[in-house]
Amino acid sequence: MAILCNCYNKRMKNDAAKLKIGVLVSGRGSNLQAIMDASASGVLDAEIAVVISDKPDAPALRRIDGVAPGVVIERKSHPTAEAFDSAIANALEERRVELVVLAGFMRVLGADFIRRFRGRIINIHPSLLPSFPGLHAQRQALLHGVKISGCTVHLVDESLDGGPILAQSAVPVLPGDTEESLSERILKKEHTLLVKAIMAYGSARHNMANVKGS
Ligand code: GRF
């Protein structure tokens, strides 16, 4: 079950410039793939302006295949965490990114970065927040014996996985579930939920622009 405003359904295609998104990744990139697929099929009216990875060998980078520019920005190439964050922010701003999507980005962004993109950063997390923030959310869910888990898309603020919740999708925990089986079931929901959340964000931005213009 996806709990989400369905106003994106009403958005007419091509009635505004595409939403420019920047996707931050560190690893596998299956959520990035879901965004690219939805964009390629026209389901998602968004342009992936840039994909940024903090890991040069992230499998996510191999998925891009010309669809979007891929940029590697490594922490070790920067003297401080602030300089690293700033390099990412500059790369996003250079490409006029409107929405920053954290799709398996395994670093915490600092306060300056959040200020520069306040209200324009979303993250996908594999639990029903506020339960189980941080790492190994699916393992935490199993250890606590919850019967329902799921995934959450939330706005990113200075807290760890604590920003306002935009959308959630529930996934039952089944008898005999392992961390792997539960993660796999949640991941499928993540792909749909993240795309819907981006659509909803684009729709809201479009509606706000109409209100301002009227
Ligand atoms: C997902 O489970 C996401 O919720 C979490 O990291 C994982 C990334 O997977 N933040 P992928 O790289 O998108 O396949």
Side-chain angles (χ1 to χ4, degrees), residues 166-193:
L166 299 179
Q168 290 188 309
S169 198
V171 173
V173 179
L174 303 179
D177 252 342
T178 61
E179 190 177 347
E180 289 68 32
S181 64
L182 179 59
S183 300
E184 198 178 317
R185 204 169 326 110
I186 292 175
L187 191 64
K188 285 198 183 120
K189 292 278 189 177
E190 288 185 35
H191 298 159
T192 315
L193 191 72

PDB file of all heavy atoms in Angstrom, residues 166-193:
ATOM      1  N   LEU A 166       7.309  12.128   3.339  1.00  0.00           N
ATOM      2  CA  LEU A 166       6.511  12.467   2.159  1.00  0.00           C
ATOM      3  C   LEU A 166       5.653  11.302   1.694  1.00  0.00           C
ATOM      4  O   LEU A 166       4.551  11.488   1.205  1.00  0.00           O
ATOM      5  CB  LEU A 166       7.430  12.890   1.004  1.00  0.00           C
ATOM      6  CG  LEU A 166       8.313  14.114   1.242  1.00  0.00           C
ATOM      7  CD1 LEU A 166       9.172  14.376   0.018  1.00  0.00           C
ATOM      8  CD2 LEU A 166       7.471  15.327   1.573  1.00  0.00           C
ATOM      9  N   ALA A 167       6.174  10.086   1.803  1.00  0.00           N
ATOM     10  CA  ALA A 167       5.453   8.922   1.277  1.00  0.00           C
ATOM     11  C   ALA A 167       5.972   7.650   1.938  1.00  0.00           C
ATOM     12  O   ALA A 167       7.161   7.567   2.276  1.00  0.00           O
ATOM     13  CB  ALA A 167       5.661   8.820  -0.235  1.00  0.00           C
ATOM     14  N   GLN A 168       5.058   6.705   2.139  1.00  0.00           N
ATOM     15  CA  GLN A 168       5.478   5.425   2.718  1.00  0.00           C
ATOM     16  C   GLN A 168       4.757   4.284   2.039  1.00  0.00           C
ATOM     17  O   GLN A 168       3.644   4.437   1.539  1.00  0.00           O
ATOM     18  CB  GLN A 168       5.174   5.378   4.230  1.00  0.00           C
ATOM     19  CG  GLN A 168       6.070   6.300   5.031  1.00  0.00           C
ATOM     20  CD  GLN A 168       5.924   6.125   6.520  1.00  0.00           C
ATOM     21  OE1 GLN A 168       4.813   6.141   7.033  1.00  0.00           O
ATOM     22  NE2 GLN A 168       7.042   5.985   7.219  1.00  0.00           N
ATOM     23  N   SER A 169       5.398   3.141   2.055  1.00  0.00           N
ATOM     24  CA  SER A 169       4.792   1.942   1.499  1.00  0.00           C
ATOM     25  C   SER A 169       5.059   0.798   2.478  1.00  0.00           C
ATOM     26  O   SER A 169       6.196   0.618   2.929  1.00  0.00           O
ATOM     27  CB  SER A 169       5.448   1.659   0.138  1.00  0.00           C
ATOM     28  OG  SER A 169       4.662   0.797  -0.607  1.00  0.00           O
ATOM     29  N   ALA A 170       4.009   0.058   2.810  1.00  0.00           N
ATOM     30  CA  ALA A 170       4.137  -1.006   3.811  1.00  0.00           C
ATOM     31  C   ALA A 170       4.470  -2.344   3.153  1.00  0.00           C
ATOM     32  O   ALA A 170       4.022  -2.638   2.045  1.00  0.00           O
ATOM     33  CB  ALA A 170       2.839  -1.127   4.600  1.00  0.00           C
ATOM     34  N   VAL A 171       5.260  -3.139   3.858  1.00  0.00           N
ATOM     35  CA  VAL A 171       5.646  -4.482   3.392  1.00  0.00           C
ATOM     36  C   VAL A 171       5.511  -5.439   4.569  1.00  0.00           C
ATOM     37  O   VAL A 171       6.079  -5.175   5.632  1.00  0.00           O
ATOM     38  CB  VAL A 171       7.120  -4.481   2.893  1.00  0.00           C
ATOM     39  CG1 VAL A 171       7.605  -5.877   2.571  1.00  0.00           C
ATOM     40  CG2 VAL A 171       7.287  -3.573   1.686  1.00  0.00           C
ATOM     41  N   PRO A 172       4.772  -6.536   4.424  1.00  0.00           N
ATOM     42  CA  PRO A 172       4.657  -7.466   5.551  1.00  0.00           C
ATOM     43  C   PRO A 172       5.982  -8.197   5.798  1.00  0.00           C
ATOM     44  O   PRO A 172       6.706  -8.509   4.858  1.00  0.00           O
ATOM     45  CB  PRO A 172       3.581  -8.458   5.094  1.00  0.00           C
ATOM     46  CG  PRO A 172       3.566  -8.356   3.603  1.00  0.00           C
ATOM     47  CD  PRO A 172       4.018  -6.977   3.245  1.00  0.00           C
ATOM     48  N   VAL A 173       6.266  -8.454   7.073  1.00  0.00           N
ATOM     49  CA  VAL A 173       7.399  -9.324   7.413  1.00  0.00           C
ATOM     50  C   VAL A 173       6.825 -10.739   7.505  1.00  0.00           C
ATOM     51  O   VAL A 173       5.877 -10.975   8.259  1.00  0.00           O
ATOM     52  CB  VAL A 173       8.040  -8.909   8.750  1.00  0.00           C
ATOM     53  CG1 VAL A 173       9.201  -9.853   9.092  1.00  0.00           C
ATOM     54  CG2 VAL A 173       8.533  -7.462   8.680  1.00  0.00           C
ATOM     55  N   LEU A 174       7.365 -11.662   6.727  1.00  0.00           N
ATOM     56  CA  LEU A 174       6.810 -13.010   6.651  1.00  0.00           C
ATOM     57  C   LEU A 174       7.571 -13.962   7.563  1.00  0.00           C
ATOM     58  O   LEU A 174       8.776 -13.758   7.829  1.00  0.00           O
ATOM     59  CB  LEU A 174       6.870 -13.518   5.210  1.00  0.00           C
ATOM     60  CG  LEU A 174       6.153 -12.639   4.179  1.00  0.00           C
ATOM     61  CD1 LEU A 174       6.302 -13.230   2.776  1.00  0.00           C
ATOM     62  CD2 LEU A 174       4.683 -12.463   4.545  1.00  0.00           C
ATOM     63  N   PRO A 175       6.906 -15.012   8.052  1.00  0.00           N
ATOM     64  CA  PRO A 175       7.617 -15.997   8.862  1.00  0.00           C
ATOM     65  C   PRO A 175       8.809 -16.537   8.074  1.00  0.00           C
ATOM     66  O   PRO A 175       8.685 -16.832   6.884  1.00  0.00           O
ATOM     67  CB  PRO A 175       6.568 -17.106   9.086  1.00  0.00           C
ATOM     68  CG  PRO A 175       5.252 -16.476   8.798  1.00  0.00           C
ATOM     69  CD  PRO A 175       5.496 -15.356   7.826  1.00  0.00           C
ATOM     70  N   GLY A 176       9.948 -16.641   8.718  1.00  0.00           N
ATOM     71  CA  GLY A 176      11.134 -17.184   8.050  1.00  0.00           C
ATOM     72  C   GLY A 176      11.909 -16.162   7.247  1.00  0.00           C
ATOM     73  O   GLY A 176      12.925 -16.492   6.619  1.00  0.00           O
ATOM     74  N   ASP A 177      11.447 -14.921   7.238  1.00  0.00           N
ATOM     75  CA  ASP A 177      12.172 -13.894   6.501  1.00  0.00           C
ATOM     76  C   ASP A 177      13.608 -13.769   7.004  1.00  0.00           C
ATOM     77  O   ASP A 177      13.862 -13.824   8.212  1.00  0.00           O
ATOM     78  CB  ASP A 177      11.481 -12.524   6.666  1.00  0.00           C
ATOM     79  CG  ASP A 177      10.786 -12.069   5.395  1.00  0.00           C
ATOM     80  OD1 ASP A 177      11.090 -12.603   4.309  1.00  0.00           O
ATOM     81  OD2 ASP A 177       9.914 -11.179   5.498  1.00  0.00           O
ATOM     82  N   THR A 178      14.532 -13.583   6.082  1.00  0.00           N
ATOM     83  CA  THR A 178      15.914 -13.243   6.430  1.00  0.00           C
ATOM     84  C   THR A 178      16.112 -11.767   6.060  1.00  0.00           C
ATOM     85  O   THR A 178      15.254 -11.170   5.386  1.00  0.00           O
ATOM     86  CB  THR A 178      16.908 -14.086   5.623  1.00  0.00           C
ATOM     87  OG1 THR A 178      16.688 -13.794   4.227  1.00  0.00           O
ATOM     88  CG2 THR A 178      16.718 -15.567   5.868  1.00  0.00           C
ATOM     89  N   GLU A 179      17.256 -11.234   6.456  1.00  0.00           N
ATOM     90  CA  GLU A 179      17.537  -9.845   6.103  1.00  0.00           C
ATOM     91  C   GLU A 179      17.488  -9.688   4.576  1.00  0.00           C
ATOM     92  O   GLU A 179      16.965  -8.695   4.055  1.00  0.00           O
ATOM     93  CB  GLU A 179      18.917  -9.455   6.646  1.00  0.00           C
ATOM     94  CG  GLU A 179      19.200  -7.982   6.548  1.00  0.00           C
ATOM     95  CD  GLU A 179      20.549  -7.612   7.172  1.00  0.00           C
ATOM     96  OE1 GLU A 179      21.143  -8.447   7.892  1.00  0.00           O
ATOM     97  OE2 GLU A 179      20.994  -6.491   6.935  1.00  0.00           O
ATOM     98  N   GLU A 180      18.001 -10.702   3.880  1.00  0.00           N
ATOM     99  CA  GLU A 180      18.054 -10.634   2.418  1.00  0.00           C
ATOM    100  C   GLU A 180      16.645 -10.671   1.814  1.00  0.00           C
ATOM    101  O   GLU A 180      16.315  -9.871   0.939  1.00  0.00           O
ATOM    102  CB  GLU A 180      18.872 -11.803   1.837  1.00  0.00           C
ATOM    103  CG  GLU A 180      20.364 -11.708   2.079  1.00  0.00           C
ATOM    104  CD  GLU A 180      20.750 -11.875   3.564  1.00  0.00           C
ATOM    105  OE1 GLU A 180      20.047 -12.626   4.286  1.00  0.00           O
ATOM    106  OE2 GLU A 180      21.723 -11.236   3.999  1.00  0.00           O
ATOM    107  N   SER A 181      15.824 -11.613   2.279  1.00  0.00           N
ATOM    108  CA  SER A 181      14.493 -11.750   1.662  1.00  0.00           C
ATOM    109  C   SER A 181      13.633 -10.523   1.953  1.00  0.00           C
ATOM    110  O   SER A 181      12.912 -10.032   1.081  1.00  0.00           O
ATOM    111  CB  SER A 181      13.797 -13.041   2.119  1.00  0.00           C
ATOM    112  OG  SER A 181      13.548 -13.018   3.515  1.00  0.00           O
ATOM    113  N   LEU A 182      13.736 -10.017   3.180  1.00  0.00           N
ATOM    114  CA  LEU A 182      12.952  -8.828   3.517  1.00  0.00           C
ATOM    115  C   LEU A 182      13.452  -7.622   2.717  1.00  0.00           C
ATOM    116  O   LEU A 182      12.656  -6.843   2.168  1.00  0.00           O
ATOM    117  CB  LEU A 182      13.037  -8.539   5.022  1.00  0.00           C
ATOM    118  CG  LEU A 182      12.272  -7.310   5.502  1.00  0.00           C
ATOM    119  CD1 LEU A 182      10.779  -7.401   5.178  1.00  0.00           C
ATOM    120  CD2 LEU A 182      12.476  -7.089   7.005  1.00  0.00           C
ATOM    121  N   SER A 183      14.783  -7.494   2.624  1.00  0.00           N
ATOM    122  CA  SER A 183      15.364  -6.357   1.883  1.00  0.00           C
ATOM    123  C   SER A 183      14.905  -6.377   0.430  1.00  0.00           C
ATOM    124  O   SER A 183      14.560  -5.340  -0.147  1.00  0.00           O
ATOM    125  CB  SER A 183      16.892  -6.409   1.917  1.00  0.00           C
ATOM    126  OG  SER A 183      17.349  -6.364   3.243  1.00  0.00           O
ATOM    127  N   GLU A 184      14.888  -7.571  -0.132  1.00  0.00           N
ATOM    128  CA  GLU A 184      14.498  -7.699  -1.541  1.00  0.00           C
ATOM    129  C   GLU A 184      13.042  -7.274  -1.745  1.00  0.00           C
ATOM    130  O   GLU A 184      12.710  -6.572  -2.701  1.00  0.00           O
ATOM    131  CB  GLU A 184      14.671  -9.162  -1.951  1.00  0.00           C
ATOM    132  CG  GLU A 184      14.728  -9.395  -3.433  1.00  0.00           C
ATOM    133  CD  GLU A 184      14.940 -10.866  -3.724  1.00  0.00           C
ATOM    134  OE1 GLU A 184      15.788 -11.496  -3.037  1.00  0.00           O
ATOM    135  OE2 GLU A 184      14.250 -11.388  -4.592  1.00  0.00           O
ATOM    136  N   ARG A 185      12.170  -7.706  -0.818  1.00  0.00           N
ATOM    137  CA  ARG A 185      10.754  -7.360  -0.950  1.00  0.00           C
ATOM    138  C   ARG A 185      10.550  -5.856  -0.761  1.00  0.00           C
ATOM    139  O   ARG A 185       9.759  -5.233  -1.465  1.00  0.00           O
ATOM    140  CB  ARG A 185       9.929  -8.175   0.067  1.00  0.00           C
ATOM    141  CG  ARG A 185       8.500  -8.320  -0.373  1.00  0.00           C
ATOM    142  CD  ARG A 185       7.683  -9.323   0.441  1.00  0.00           C
ATOM    143  NE  ARG A 185       8.446 -10.456   0.905  1.00  0.00           N
ATOM    144  CZ  ARG A 185       8.771 -10.668   2.191  1.00  0.00           C
ATOM    145  NH1 ARG A 185       8.376  -9.832   3.126  1.00  0.00           N
ATOM    146  NH2 ARG A 185       9.466 -11.709   2.535  1.00  0.00           N
ATOM    147  N   ILE A 186      11.277  -5.280   0.192  1.00  0.00           N
ATOM    148  CA  ILE A 186      11.156  -3.832   0.417  1.00  0.00           C
ATOM    149  C   ILE A 186      11.685  -3.068  -0.798  1.00  0.00           C
ATOM    150  O   ILE A 186      11.104  -2.071  -1.232  1.00  0.00           O
ATOM    151  CB  ILE A 186      11.908  -3.413   1.702  1.00  0.00           C
ATOM    152  CG1 ILE A 186      11.214  -3.990   2.934  1.00  0.00           C
ATOM    153  CG2 ILE A 186      11.992  -1.889   1.815  1.00  0.00           C
ATOM    154  CD1 ILE A 186      11.952  -3.740   4.253  1.00  0.00           C
ATOM    155  N   LEU A 187      12.796  -3.553  -1.357  1.00  0.00           N
ATOM    156  CA  LEU A 187      13.435  -2.844  -2.473  1.00  0.00           C
ATOM    157  C   LEU A 187      12.473  -2.664  -3.648  1.00  0.00           C
ATOM    158  O   LEU A 187      12.450  -1.610  -4.288  1.00  0.00           O
ATOM    159  CB  LEU A 187      14.701  -3.584  -2.915  1.00  0.00           C
ATOM    160  CG  LEU A 187      15.614  -2.828  -3.886  1.00  0.00           C
ATOM    161  CD1 LEU A 187      16.203  -1.572  -3.243  1.00  0.00           C
ATOM    162  CD2 LEU A 187      16.743  -3.740  -4.363  1.00  0.00           C
ATOM    163  N   LYS A 188      11.689  -3.700  -3.921  1.00  0.00           N
ATOM    164  CA  LYS A 188      10.724  -3.600  -5.027  1.00  0.00           C
ATOM    165  C   LYS A 188       9.773  -2.433  -4.784  1.00  0.00           C
ATOM    166  O   LYS A 188       9.431  -1.686  -5.690  1.00  0.00           O
ATOM    167  CB  LYS A 188       9.926  -4.895  -5.150  1.00  0.00           C
ATOM    168  CG  LYS A 188      10.721  -6.010  -5.765  1.00  0.00           C
ATOM    169  CD  LYS A 188       9.805  -7.116  -6.287  1.00  0.00           C
ATOM    170  CE  LYS A 188      10.650  -8.264  -6.828  1.00  0.00           C
ATOM    171  NZ  LYS A 188      10.437  -9.527  -6.153  1.00  0.00           N
ATOM    172  N   LYS A 189       9.326  -2.299  -3.553  1.00  0.00           N
ATOM    173  CA  LYS A 189       8.416  -1.189  -3.204  1.00  0.00           C
ATOM    174  C   LYS A 189       9.134   0.151  -3.278  1.00  0.00           C
ATOM    175  O   LYS A 189       8.538   1.162  -3.620  1.00  0.00           O
ATOM    176  CB  LYS A 189       7.860  -1.385  -1.791  1.00  0.00           C
ATOM    177  CG  LYS A 189       6.932  -2.559  -1.644  1.00  0.00           C
ATOM    178  CD  LYS A 189       5.532  -2.189  -2.109  1.00  0.00           C
ATOM    179  CE  LYS A 189       4.567  -3.302  -1.754  1.00  0.00           C
ATOM    180  NZ  LYS A 189       3.193  -2.975  -2.105  1.00  0.00           N
ATOM    181  N   GLU A 190      10.415   0.134  -2.911  1.00  0.00           N
ATOM    182  CA  GLU A 190      11.190   1.388  -2.954  1.00  0.00           C
ATOM    183  C   GLU A 190      11.160   1.984  -4.354  1.00  0.00           C
ATOM    184  O   GLU A 190      10.996   3.194  -4.529  1.00  0.00           O
ATOM    185  CB  GLU A 190      12.648   1.131  -2.563  1.00  0.00           C
ATOM    186  CG  GLU A 190      12.874   0.838  -1.105  1.00  0.00           C
ATOM    187  CD  GLU A 190      14.363   0.706  -0.794  1.00  0.00           C
ATOM    188  OE1 GLU A 190      15.177   1.415  -1.406  1.00  0.00           O
ATOM    189  OE2 GLU A 190      14.713  -0.114   0.066  1.00  0.00           O
ATOM    190  N   HIS A 191      11.355   1.118  -5.339  1.00  0.00           N
ATOM    191  CA  HIS A 191      11.463   1.609  -6.715  1.00  0.00           C
ATOM    192  C   HIS A 191      10.194   2.355  -7.136  1.00  0.00           C
ATOM    193  O   HIS A 191      10.260   3.408  -7.754  1.00  0.00           O
ATOM    194  CB  HIS A 191      11.736   0.443  -7.666  1.00  0.00           C
ATOM    195  CG  HIS A 191      13.035  -0.250  -7.375  1.00  0.00           C
ATOM    196  ND1 HIS A 191      13.312  -1.528  -7.770  1.00  0.00           N
ATOM    197  CD2 HIS A 191      14.128   0.163  -6.694  1.00  0.00           C
ATOM    198  CE1 HIS A 191      14.522  -1.867  -7.365  1.00  0.00           C
ATOM    199  NE2 HIS A 191      15.038  -0.854  -6.703  1.00  0.00           N
ATOM    200  N   THR A 192       9.061   1.777  -6.795  1.00  0.00           N
ATOM    201  CA  THR A 192       7.794   2.420  -7.157  1.00  0.00           C
ATOM    202  C   THR A 192       7.574   3.687  -6.344  1.00  0.00           C
ATOM    203  O   THR A 192       7.170   4.725  -6.864  1.00  0.00           O
ATOM    204  CB  THR A 192       6.622   1.449  -6.868  1.00  0.00           C
ATOM    205  OG1 THR A 192       6.970   0.169  -7.362  1.00  0.00           O
ATOM    206  CG2 THR A 192       5.340   1.905  -7.506  1.00  0.00           C
ATOM    207  N   LEU A 193       7.845   3.583  -5.056  1.00  0.00           N
ATOM    208  CA  LEU A 193       7.566   4.712  -4.163  1.00  0.00           C
ATOM    209  C   LEU A 193       8.434   5.923  -4.508  1.00  0.00           C
ATOM    210  O   LEU A 193       7.950   7.062  -4.524  1.00  0.00           O
ATOM    211  CB  LEU A 193       7.818   4.295  -2.705  1.00  0.00           C
ATOM    212  CG  LEU A 193       7.308   5.297  -1.671  1.00  0.00           C
ATOM    213  CD1 LEU A 193       5.790   5.280  -1.586  1.00  0.00           C
ATOM    214  CD2 LEU A 193       7.906   5.029  -0.299  1.00  0.00           C
TER     215      LEU A 193
END
